[in-house]
Amino acid sequence: MPKIVVLTGAGISAESGIPTFRGSDGLWEGHRIEEVATPEGFRSNPGLVLDFYNQRRRKLLSSDVQPNAAHVAIANWEASLPQNDFLLITQNVDDLHVRAGSKNVVPMHGELLKARCLDTGAVFPWCDDMTLQTPHPERADLLGRLRPHIVWFGEMPLEMEQIEEAIIDCDCFVSIGTSGKVYPAAGFVQMTPRECWRVEINLDNADNSGAFDDSFVGRATEQVPRFIDAWKQRFGFDATS
Ligand code: BV8
């Protein structure tokens, strides 16, 4: 049974109304990446960083942000396969893949709807705003000792061992909606075995497009279902399933 690894980036959530990172001249909702997505930025201005993530968390929790047809197509594809043959690695910190029904998901850059204790590293579900006055969920006497459970630049992404184990052994690696600019995710395609089918689905060329065998160019909601049909034909699966 083919082992499939899917890697997604901000492009797969774009049609759900979540802005991509490099869509608008590299600014991130009006901020430079260094000031809002690095440990240094958090240390020098924690209030600004907490507010940046509060804005994104509120937007994610608003009713106008829902999983789109690409998230759903991937979840249905996974559901049609044996459980251990499919791994979805996402660089996104939204929960749209899980809300669409995906099960085997690794959020390698963390999760917007989780908080982390600065002192113990403990992680908690988190849907509210987070400020410097926010009490610790387990220690009400501790204020402002939380950070977003997000992997910032210069920090080690999560579950790298599980990720690398899956990639070096997969028969199909498909990268969806990522500019291929951020490592180590952008280097995953280079770690695939020689006989792996490497596919890129993107609105336009990414920095690492040359490393893929085939490209499906266009919006994820259109191209992901097209790709899955092509995968079913290539691996002899009934296209109607
Ligand atoms: C680390 C969380 C080491 C924050 C993010 C070489 C090797 C290793 C590291 C490095 C290296 N060179 C440099 C580094 C350091 C750095 C890095 O890669 N820098 C880049 C800028 C050069 N990497 C790191 O720091 C990583 N950590 O390496 O640790 C280490 C070792 C030992 C000990 C400690 C540490 C950590 C990186 C994680 C940073 N955090 N996110 C947050 O979300 O708030 S990264 C951030 O950018 C996002 O999470 C996202 O993952 C990432 C990339 O963005 P994309 O998802 O690709 O989005 P983008 O907007 O760029 O592109 C969207 C694409 O979609 C476009 O191509 C567009 O055309 C397409 N699209 C748009 N609409 C659609 C569409 N496609 C289809 N349909 C559509 N509708």
Side-chain angles (χ1 to χ4, degrees):
M1 174 64 79
K3 294 187 182 71
I4 299 149
V5 174
V6 178
L7 170 69
T8 61
I12 200 166
S13 295
E15 292 165 86
S16 295
I18 297 186
T20 62
F21 299 100
R22 291 165 188 83
S24 49
D25 58 46
L27 279 183
W28 217 337
E29 313 240 21
H31 296 289
R32 286 185 311 108
I33 284 183
E34 297 76 22
E35 60 182 352
V36 290
T38 60
E40 297 75 19
F42 180 66
R43 267 194 296 279
S44 69
N45 192 340
L48 173 79
V49 173
L50 291 176
D51 187 54
F52 171 66
Y53 286 96
N54 289 342
Q55 302 304 327
R56 289 170 68 192
R57 193 178 301 108
R58 281 190 213 147
K59 183 174 180 72
L60 177 59
L61 291 170
S62 69
S63 56
D64 54 7
V65 172
Q66 297 297 332
N68 63 50
H71 295 110
V72 173
I74 292 172
N76 292 341
W77 182 28
E78 176 187 15
S80 72
L81 297 166
Q83 192 186 0
N84 300 328
D85 276 337
F86 189 100
L87 180 67
L88 171 54
I89 306 163
T90 187
Q91 300 175 85
N92 301 336
V93 294
D94 63 54
D95 62 342
L96 296 179
H97 281 302
V98 171
R99 281 165 54 189
S102 286
K103 303 291 180 224
N104 211 359
V105 183
V106 173
M108 66 177 289
H109 289 163
E111 297 174 71
L112 199 47
L113 301 183
K114 287 189 178 166
R116 189 192 311 165
C117 172
L118 285 168
D119 303 316
T120 64
V123 174
F124 308 92
W126 199 268
C127 290
D128 304 318
D129 277 2
M130 191 186 291
T131 72
L132 293 170
Q133 307 311 319
T134 302
H136 190 288
E138 292 170 345
R139 295 273 312 278
D141 58 314
L142 268 181
L143 299 184
R145 297 305 299 158
L146 297 174
R147 62 169 274 182
H149 180 52
I150 296 282
V151 176
W152 285 324
F153 286 93
E155 296 184 324
M156 179 59 89
L158 309 174
E159 307 300 341
M160 284 302 291
E161 206 173 303
Q162 177 191 359
I163 288 172
E164 287 166 2
E165 259 174 39
I167 291 174
I168 59 174
D169 191 30
C170 69
D171 297 348
C172 178
F173 177 85
V174 52
S175 172
I176 305 171
T178 177
S179 59
K181 291 183 190 308
V182 173
Y183 287 84
F188 289 165
V189 63
Q190 311 286 1
M191 295 165 53
T192 53
R194 196 176 42 77
E195 63 285 357
C196 175
W197 185 31
R198 302 164 196 81
V199 177
E200 178 192 29
I201 300 175
N202 212 31
L203 201 55
D204 50 33
N205 270 346
D207 284 18
N208 59 354
S209 289
F212 293 91
D213 304 304
D214 288 295
S215 291
F216 288 70
V217 181
R219 296 185 324 160
T221 50
E222 293 155 10
Q223 299 305 323
V224 168
R226 271 192 67 230
F227 156 72
I228 292 171
D229 284 345
W231 177 86
K232 288 179 179 174
Q233 281 160 27
R234 184 181 179 111
F235 286 95
F237 279 72
D238 169 16
T240 56
S241 63

